Amino acid sequence: MTTYLEAEADPQRNTGAIRIYGPEAFEGMRRASRVTAECLDALVDIVKPGVTTQAIDDFVWQFGLDRGAAPASLHYRGYTKSVCTSINHVVCHGIPNQKPLKEGDIVNIDVTYVVDGWHGDSSRMYPVGQVKRASERLCEVTYRALQLGIAAVKPGGHVGDIGAAIEEYAVAERCSVVRDFCGHGVGKLFHDAPNILHYGSRGEGAELRPGMIFTIEPMINTGRQHVKILADGWTAVTRDRSLSAQYEHSLGVTEDGCEVFTYSRNGSDTPGISVPPLTDAA
Ligand code: MF3
Ligand code: CO
Ligand code: CO
């Protein structure tokens, strides 16, 4: 059974109830998400062969510091870095280190900045130099899947509509959808109700209502869906070592659809990859 709450009337912990936010929350989410999107834009010129993921972590830390934004990942449940960097068969939560990126890698960079208590959570794939067509294609499919998930968000619809749209498309493209991680309510909390599964059935799950704020962040594999966590307790990898890609946006449900808070303002939502906008015809 789903319960909904007025956002400000509730304790700041995940009670399982879905918060309904007002205009000030949307304003706060726009401010935090803008810093996140600008950082992801700036990383386009930084990610290249030879750059370490630690250098990316340093950049994300400093970028936030200069703008009064704190990285939410730092010290989150024992995580010790400002960003997640997930390369090739790493599905998510890759930990920055001193190993340089190499030509042909694809790396997901996942940034969450906190501004005035609001969390702007977004990630993009970055091709490192020239990459194989199969890698590029996986990124195209994954962003298209996210676009289709976003298009399914409207009041009166259900959380299951989002997962169904993503899964249907990914499977038709002969890819698989990771089931061990999901999107999530976001706002003053980093991870809140509801869970946004990237698979499922239309009409199932909580009803979507104006004022809900959450992420959609599908992880799509070229091989099988199964993942395992490495001994560091964070790094999730594909069991079959197939490639994995992910993009993430934070959004709010509006009266007639949704507002995506984390869009790039300079056309860099899919660095190095071309994914046309969804048209009504598509
Ligand atoms: N940003 C991730 C998400 O999309 C969460 C990272 S938690 C961390 O939900 F601790 F690994 F950084
Ligand atoms: Co997220
Ligand atoms: Co994220």
Side-chain angles (χ1 to χ4, degrees):
M1 229 252 311
T2 308
T3 53
Y4 298 86
L5 283 174
E6 280 187 49
E8 305 302 330
D10 190 54
Q12 291 304 302
R13 64 190 165 79
N14 183 350
T15 61
I18 298 174
R19 287 165 217 271
I20 302 298
Y21 290 98
E24 332 71 50
F26 275 58
E27 202 38 66
M29 285 300 294
R30 283 182 202 120
R31 287 199 306 275
S33 298
R34 183 191 290 221
V35 182
T36 297
E38 285 175 353
C39 178
L40 292 172
D41 290 345
L43 283 165
V44 174
D45 291 328
I46 286 174
V47 177
K48 25 172 109 50
V51 170
T52 66
T53 47
Q54 182 56 54
I56 293 169
D57 191 75
D58 295 342
F59 179 86
V60 170
W61 163 256
Q62 189 61 50
F63 191 93
L65 195 64
D66 294 344
R67 289 158 184 81
S73 301
L74 193 58
H75 308 308
Y76 178 78
R77 299 183 178 214
Y79 193 79
T80 60
K81 300 290 175 177
S82 298
V83 65
C84 296
T85 50
S86 303
I87 304 167
N88 299 336
H89 70 296
V90 179
V91 172
C92 63
H93 303 163
I95 306 172
N97 62 26
Q98 294 296 349
K99 202 175 148 202
L101 293 170
K102 52 185 198 313
E103 181 97 14
D105 286 343
I106 53 171
V107 58
N108 174 277
I109 305 182
D110 191 338
V111 173
T112 307
Y113 282 123
V114 190
V115 175
D116 300 330
W118 298 102
H119 292 69
D121 186 6
S122 184
S123 80
R124 302 179 193 163
M125 297 302 297
Y126 295 77
V128 180
Q130 198 61 43
V131 306
K132 286 187 177 146
R133 177 63 194 135
S135 308
E136 197 176 68
R137 181 179 168 272
L138 176 64
C139 294
E140 290 166 7
V141 167
T142 306
Y143 195 74
R144 178 59 94 202
L146 173 56
Q147 287 177 315
L148 290 164
I150 291 169
V153 177
K154 38 181 159 311
H158 291 79
V159 165
D161 303 354
I162 301 169
I166 290 169
E167 183 182 25
E168 222 172 69
Y169 171 74
V171 168
E173 295 294 330
R174 285 171 290 102
C175 294
S176 68
V177 177
V178 171
R179 293 181 175 239
D180 297 59
F181 301 95
C182 57
H184 49 91
V186 68
K188 291 269 177 128
L189 291 182
F190 192 0
H191 295 107
D192 203 355
N195 285 337
I196 306 295
L197 307 186
H198 303 115
Y199 57 91
S201 309
R202 287 195 176 75
E204 289 188 354
E207 187 185 312
L208 299 169
R209 298 193 182 172
M212 286 171 63
I213 297 179
F214 54 83
T215 74
I216 307 178
E217 48 182 299
M219 285 140 275
I220 308 288
N221 302 343
T222 55
R224 289 164 62 82
Q225 66 172 68
H226 307 96
V227 311
K228 66 176 180 189
I229 310 290
L230 299 187
D232 60 29
W234 284 101
T235 311
V237 300
T238 56
R239 282 191 171 267
D240 63 7
R241 297 189 62 88
S242 68
L243 278 183
S244 188
Q246 178 181 31
Y247 294 82
E248 175 177 25
H249 280 305
S250 295
L251 58 85
V253 182
T254 60
E255 294 297 333
D256 57 358
C258 69
E259 174 179 346
V260 177
F261 299 123
T262 46
Y263 277 144
S264 170
R265 299 184 167 237
N266 72 2
S268 301
D269 283 308
T270 56
I273 307 281
S274 169
V275 186
L278 281 180
T279 62
D280 292 343

Short mmCIF file of all heavy atoms in Angstrom, two decimals, residues 217-257:
data_model
loop_
_atom_site.label_atom_id
_atom_site.label_comp_id
_atom_site.label_asym_id
_atom_site.label_seq_id
_atom_site.Cartn_x
_atom_site.Cartn_y
_atom_site.Cartn_z
N GLU A 217 17.61 5.93 -13.68
CA GLU A 217 19.05 5.70 -13.91
C GLU A 217 19.34 4.28 -14.39
O GLU A 217 20.04 3.52 -13.72
CB GLU A 217 19.84 6.02 -12.65
CG GLU A 217 19.30 5.42 -11.35
CD GLU A 217 20.13 5.84 -10.14
OE1 GLU A 217 21.33 5.53 -10.10
OE2 GLU A 217 19.56 6.50 -9.24
N PRO A 218 18.77 3.89 -15.56
CA PRO A 218 18.92 2.51 -16.02
C PRO A 218 20.37 2.11 -16.27
O PRO A 218 21.15 2.88 -16.82
CB PRO A 218 18.13 2.50 -17.33
CG PRO A 218 18.09 3.92 -17.78
CD PRO A 218 18.05 4.74 -16.53
N MET A 219 20.70 0.89 -15.82
CA MET A 219 21.98 0.25 -16.14
C MET A 219 21.68 -0.87 -17.12
O MET A 219 20.87 -1.76 -16.82
CB MET A 219 22.61 -0.35 -14.87
CG MET A 219 23.23 0.69 -13.97
SD MET A 219 22.92 0.33 -12.22
CE MET A 219 21.30 1.11 -12.03
N ILE A 220 22.28 -0.81 -18.31
CA ILE A 220 21.98 -1.73 -19.41
C ILE A 220 23.27 -2.46 -19.80
O ILE A 220 24.32 -1.82 -19.92
CB ILE A 220 21.42 -0.96 -20.63
CG1 ILE A 220 20.23 -0.06 -20.24
CG2 ILE A 220 21.07 -1.92 -21.77
CD1 ILE A 220 18.95 -0.77 -19.91
N ASN A 221 23.17 -3.79 -19.97
CA ASN A 221 24.35 -4.61 -20.30
C ASN A 221 24.22 -5.18 -21.71
O ASN A 221 23.12 -5.49 -22.16
CB ASN A 221 24.47 -5.79 -19.33
CG ASN A 221 24.58 -5.35 -17.87
OD1 ASN A 221 24.87 -4.19 -17.59
ND2 ASN A 221 24.35 -6.29 -16.96
N THR A 222 25.38 -5.39 -22.37
CA THR A 222 25.36 -6.08 -23.67
C THR A 222 25.15 -7.58 -23.47
O THR A 222 24.64 -8.26 -24.34
CB THR A 222 26.68 -5.88 -24.45
OG1 THR A 222 27.77 -6.29 -23.63
CG2 THR A 222 26.87 -4.43 -24.86
N GLY A 223 25.54 -8.09 -22.32
CA GLY A 223 25.39 -9.51 -22.02
C GLY A 223 24.22 -9.75 -21.07
O GLY A 223 23.15 -9.16 -21.23
N ARG A 224 24.45 -10.60 -20.08
CA ARG A 224 23.39 -10.93 -19.13
C ARG A 224 23.26 -9.89 -18.02
O ARG A 224 24.16 -9.11 -17.79
CB ARG A 224 23.60 -12.35 -18.60
CG ARG A 224 23.32 -13.40 -19.70
CD ARG A 224 23.87 -14.77 -19.36
NE ARG A 224 23.26 -15.34 -18.15
CZ ARG A 224 22.09 -15.98 -18.11
NH1 ARG A 224 21.39 -16.15 -19.21
NH2 ARG A 224 21.63 -16.47 -16.97
N GLN A 225 22.13 -9.91 -17.34
CA GLN A 225 21.81 -8.87 -16.36
C GLN A 225 22.57 -8.98 -15.04
O GLN A 225 22.65 -8.02 -14.27
CB GLN A 225 20.32 -8.94 -16.03
CG GLN A 225 19.99 -10.25 -15.33
CD GLN A 225 18.57 -10.32 -14.81
OE1 GLN A 225 17.61 -10.38 -15.56
NE2 GLN A 225 18.43 -10.32 -13.50
N HIS A 226 23.16 -10.15 -14.75
CA HIS A 226 23.62 -10.44 -13.40
C HIS A 226 24.89 -9.69 -13.02
O HIS A 226 25.80 -9.53 -13.82
CB HIS A 226 23.83 -11.95 -13.23
CG HIS A 226 22.60 -12.71 -13.63
ND1 HIS A 226 22.43 -13.26 -14.87
CD2 HIS A 226 21.44 -12.93 -12.94
CE1 HIS A 226 21.23 -13.82 -14.94
NE2 HIS A 226 20.60 -13.63 -13.79
N VAL A 227 24.91 -9.23 -11.77
CA VAL A 227 26.04 -8.45 -11.27
C VAL A 227 26.62 -9.11 -10.02
O VAL A 227 25.96 -9.94 -9.39
CB VAL A 227 25.64 -6.98 -10.95
CG1 VAL A 227 24.85 -6.37 -12.09
CG2 VAL A 227 24.86 -6.89 -9.65
N LYS A 228 27.85 -8.75 -9.70
CA LYS A 228 28.41 -9.11 -8.39
C LYS A 228 29.15 -7.91 -7.84
O LYS A 228 29.56 -7.02 -8.60
CB LYS A 228 29.31 -10.34 -8.49
CG LYS A 228 30.57 -10.12 -9.29
CD LYS A 228 31.47 -11.35 -9.27
CE LYS A 228 32.73 -11.08 -10.08
NZ LYS A 228 33.55 -12.28 -10.29
N ILE A 229 29.30 -7.88 -6.52
CA ILE A 229 29.98 -6.77 -5.86
C ILE A 229 31.39 -7.22 -5.51
O ILE A 229 31.58 -8.31 -4.95
CB ILE A 229 29.24 -6.36 -4.56
CG1 ILE A 229 27.74 -6.15 -4.81
CG2 ILE A 229 29.88 -5.12 -3.93
CD1 ILE A 229 27.37 -4.95 -5.62
N LEU A 230 32.39 -6.42 -5.86
CA LEU A 230 33.78 -6.77 -5.56
C LEU A 230 34.08 -6.64 -4.06
O LEU A 230 33.27 -6.11 -3.28
CB LEU A 230 34.73 -5.90 -6.38
CG LEU A 230 34.59 -6.02 -7.90
CD1 LEU A 230 35.70 -5.24 -8.61
CD2 LEU A 230 34.59 -7.48 -8.36
N ALA A 231 35.25 -7.12 -3.67
CA ALA A 231 35.63 -7.19 -2.25
C ALA A 231 35.68 -5.82 -1.58
O ALA A 231 35.63 -5.73 -0.35
CB ALA A 231 36.98 -7.90 -2.12
N ASP A 232 35.78 -4.73 -2.37
CA ASP A 232 35.79 -3.39 -1.76
C ASP A 232 34.41 -3.01 -1.20
O ASP A 232 34.26 -1.97 -0.54
CB ASP A 232 36.28 -2.33 -2.76
CG ASP A 232 35.42 -2.25 -4.02
OD1 ASP A 232 34.21 -2.53 -3.96
OD2 ASP A 232 35.97 -1.88 -5.08
N GLY A 233 33.40 -3.85 -1.46
CA GLY A 233 32.07 -3.60 -0.92
C GLY A 233 31.22 -2.63 -1.73
O GLY A 233 30.05 -2.42 -1.40
N TRP A 234 31.77 -2.04 -2.79
CA TRP A 234 31.04 -1.05 -3.59
C TRP A 234 30.94 -1.43 -5.07
O TRP A 234 29.84 -1.43 -5.62
CB TRP A 234 31.72 0.33 -3.50
CG TRP A 234 31.45 1.01 -2.20
CD1 TRP A 234 32.29 1.08 -1.13
CD2 TRP A 234 30.25 1.70 -1.83
NE1 TRP A 234 31.67 1.78 -0.11
CE2 TRP A 234 30.43 2.17 -0.52
CE3 TRP A 234 29.04 1.97 -2.48
CZ2 TRP A 234 29.44 2.90 0.15
CZ3 TRP A 234 28.06 2.69 -1.82
CH2 TRP A 234 28.27 3.15 -0.51
N THR A 235 32.10 -1.72 -5.67
CA THR A 235 32.16 -1.86 -7.13
C THR A 235 31.27 -2.99 -7.61
O THR A 235 31.49 -4.15 -7.27
CB THR A 235 33.61 -2.13 -7.58
OG1 THR A 235 34.48 -1.17 -6.96
CG2 THR A 235 33.73 -2.05 -9.10
N ALA A 236 30.26 -2.66 -8.42
CA ALA A 236 29.37 -3.67 -9.00
C ALA A 236 29.83 -3.93 -10.43
O ALA A 236 30.01 -2.98 -11.21
CB ALA A 236 27.93 -3.19 -8.98
N VAL A 237 30.03 -5.20 -10.78
CA VAL A 237 30.48 -5.57 -12.13
C VAL A 237 29.52 -6.61 -12.73
O VAL A 237 28.83 -7.32 -11.99
CB VAL A 237 31.92 -6.14 -12.13
CG1 VAL A 237 32.91 -5.12 -11.59
CG2 VAL A 237 32.00 -7.44 -11.34
N THR A 238 29.51 -6.70 -14.04
CA THR A 238 28.71 -7.75 -14.69
C THR A 238 29.39 -9.09 -14.43
O THR A 238 30.62 -9.21 -14.54
CB THR A 238 28.59 -7.52 -16.21
OG1 THR A 238 29.91 -7.41 -16.79
CG2 THR A 238 27.82 -6.24 -16.51
N ARG A 239 28.61 -10.10 -14.08
CA ARG A 239 29.17 -11.44 -13.80
C ARG A 239 29.85 -12.01 -15.03
O ARG A 239 30.87 -12.69 -14.92
CB ARG A 239 28.08 -12.39 -13.31
CG ARG A 239 27.73 -12.16 -11.87
CD ARG A 239 26.86 -13.28 -11.32
NE ARG A 239 26.74 -13.09 -9.89
CZ ARG A 239 27.54 -13.66 -8.98
NH1 ARG A 239 28.50 -14.48 -9.36
NH2 ARG A 239 27.38 -13.40 -7.70
N ASP A 240 29.26 -11.74 -16.23
CA ASP A 240 29.85 -12.30 -17.46
C ASP A 240 30.89 -11.36 -18.07
O ASP A 240 31.37 -11.60 -19.17
CB ASP A 240 28.74 -12.64 -18.47
CG ASP A 240 27.94 -11.41 -18.93
OD1 ASP A 240 28.32 -10.26 -18.57
OD2 ASP A 240 26.95 -11.60 -19.66
N ARG A 241 31.24 -10.29 -17.36
CA ARG A 241 32.22 -9.29 -17.79
C ARG A 241 31.82 -8.57 -19.08
O ARG A 241 32.65 -7.92 -19.74
CB ARG A 241 33.63 -9.88 -17.91
CG ARG A 241 34.18 -10.37 -16.56
CD ARG A 241 35.66 -10.76 -16.61
NE ARG A 241 36.54 -9.64 -16.95
CZ ARG A 241 37.07 -8.80 -16.05
NH1 ARG A 241 36.80 -8.93 -14.76
NH2 ARG A 241 37.88 -7.83 -16.45
N SER A 242 30.52 -8.63 -19.43
CA SER A 242 30.05 -7.86 -20.59
C SER A 242 29.98 -6.38 -20.23
O SER A 242 29.97 -6.01 -19.05
CB SER A 242 28.67 -8.36 -21.04
OG SER A 242 27.69 -8.07 -20.07
N LEU A 243 29.93 -5.54 -21.26
CA LEU A 243 29.90 -4.08 -21.06
C LEU A 243 28.60 -3.64 -20.43
O LEU A 243 27.54 -4.19 -20.73
CB LEU A 243 30.00 -3.38 -22.41
CG LEU A 243 31.34 -3.17 -23.09
CD1 LEU A 243 31.10 -2.38 -24.38
CD2 LEU A 243 32.33 -2.45 -22.18
N SER A 244 28.69 -2.58 -19.62
CA SER A 244 27.51 -2.01 -18.98
C SER A 244 27.53 -0.49 -19.14
O SER A 244 28.61 0.13 -19.09
CB SER A 244 27.51 -2.38 -17.50
OG SER A 244 26.29 -1.99 -16.89
N ALA A 245 26.37 0.10 -19.35
CA ALA A 245 26.29 1.57 -19.46
C ALA A 245 25.14 2.08 -18.60
O ALA A 245 24.20 1.33 -18.28
CB ALA A 245 26.10 1.99 -20.92
N GLN A 246 25.22 3.36 -18.23
CA GLN A 246 24.18 3.99 -17.40
C GLN A 246 24.15 5.49 -17.65
O GLN A 246 25.22 6.12 -17.80
CB GLN A 246 24.45 3.74 -15.91
CG GLN A 246 23.44 4.41 -14.98
CD GLN A 246 23.73 4.17 -13.50
OE1 GLN A 246 24.89 4.03 -13.10
NE2 GLN A 246 22.68 4.12 -12.70
N TYR A 247 22.96 6.05 -17.71
CA TYR A 247 22.76 7.51 -17.64
C TYR A 247 21.70 7.75 -16.57
O TYR A 247 20.81 6.91 -16.36
CB TYR A 247 22.26 8.08 -18.96
CG TYR A 247 23.23 8.01 -20.12
CD1 TYR A 247 23.38 6.84 -20.86
CD2 TYR A 247 23.99 9.12 -20.49
CE1 TYR A 247 24.26 6.77 -21.94
CE2 TYR A 247 24.88 9.06 -21.56
CZ TYR A 247 25.01 7.88 -22.28
OH TYR A 247 25.88 7.82 -23.35
N GLU A 248 21.78 8.91 -15.93
CA GLU A 248 20.83 9.22 -14.85
C GLU A 248 20.39 10.67 -14.91
O GLU A 248 21.21 11.56 -15.11
CB GLU A 248 21.51 8.97 -13.49
CG GLU A 248 20.66 9.39 -12.29
CD GLU A 248 21.30 9.08 -10.94
OE1 GLU A 248 22.54 9.00 -10.87
OE2 GLU A 248 20.55 8.92 -9.96
N HIS A 249 19.08 10.89 -14.74
CA HIS A 249 18.54 12.23 -14.54
C HIS A 249 17.70 12.28 -13.27
O HIS A 249 17.09 11.28 -12.87
CB HIS A 249 17.67 12.66 -15.73
CG HIS A 249 18.46 13.14 -16.93
ND1 HIS A 249 19.38 14.17 -16.85
CD2 HIS A 249 18.44 12.75 -18.23
CE1 HIS A 249 19.89 14.40 -18.05
NE2 HIS A 249 19.36 13.54 -18.91
N SER A 250 17.64 13.47 -12.65
CA SER A 250 16.72 13.76 -11.55
C SER A 250 15.57 14.59 -12.12
O SER A 250 15.81 15.51 -12.89
CB SER A 250 17.42 14.58 -10.45
OG SER A 250 18.44 13.85 -9.82
N LEU A 251 14.34 14.28 -11.74
CA LEU A 251 13.18 14.98 -12.31
C LEU A 251 12.05 15.11 -11.30
O LEU A 251 12.00 14.43 -10.28
CB LEU A 251 12.70 14.23 -13.56
CG LEU A 251 12.31 12.76 -13.39
CD1 LEU A 251 10.86 12.62 -12.94
CD2 LEU A 251 12.51 12.01 -14.70
N GLY A 252 11.13 16.01 -11.60
CA GLY A 252 9.93 16.20 -10.79
C GLY A 252 8.69 16.02 -11.65
O GLY A 252 8.67 16.47 -12.81
N VAL A 253 7.67 15.38 -11.10
CA VAL A 253 6.41 15.19 -11.83
C VAL A 253 5.62 16.50 -11.80
O VAL A 253 5.49 17.13 -10.74
CB VAL A 253 5.57 14.04 -11.20
CG1 VAL A 253 4.28 13.82 -12.01
CG2 VAL A 253 6.39 12.76 -11.12
N THR A 254 5.14 16.92 -12.97
CA THR A 254 4.36 18.16 -13.09
C THR A 254 2.91 17.81 -13.45
O THR A 254 2.57 16.64 -13.55
CB THR A 254 4.96 19.06 -14.20
OG1 THR A 254 4.93 18.33 -15.43
CG2 THR A 254 6.40 19.44 -13.87
N GLU A 255 2.09 18.83 -13.66
CA GLU A 255 0.67 18.60 -13.98
C GLU A 255 0.50 17.89 -15.32
O GLU A 255 -0.49 17.20 -15.53
CB GLU A 255 -0.10 19.93 -14.01
CG GLU A 255 -0.20 20.64 -12.66
CD GLU A 255 -0.96 19.84 -11.59
OE1 GLU A 255 -1.83 19.02 -11.97
OE2 GLU A 255 -0.64 20.02 -10.40
N ASP A 256 1.46 18.07 -16.22
CA ASP A 256 1.28 17.49 -17.56
C ASP A 256 2.43 16.60 -18.01
O ASP A 256 2.58 16.31 -19.20
CB ASP A 256 1.02 18.60 -18.60
CG ASP A 256 2.14 19.62 -18.62
OD1 ASP A 256 3.10 19.49 -17.82
OD2 ASP A 256 2.07 20.56 -19.44
N GLY A 257 3.28 16.16 -17.10
CA GLY A 257 4.40 15.31 -17.48
C GLY A 257 5.48 15.40 -16.43
O GLY A 257 5.24 15.08 -15.27
#
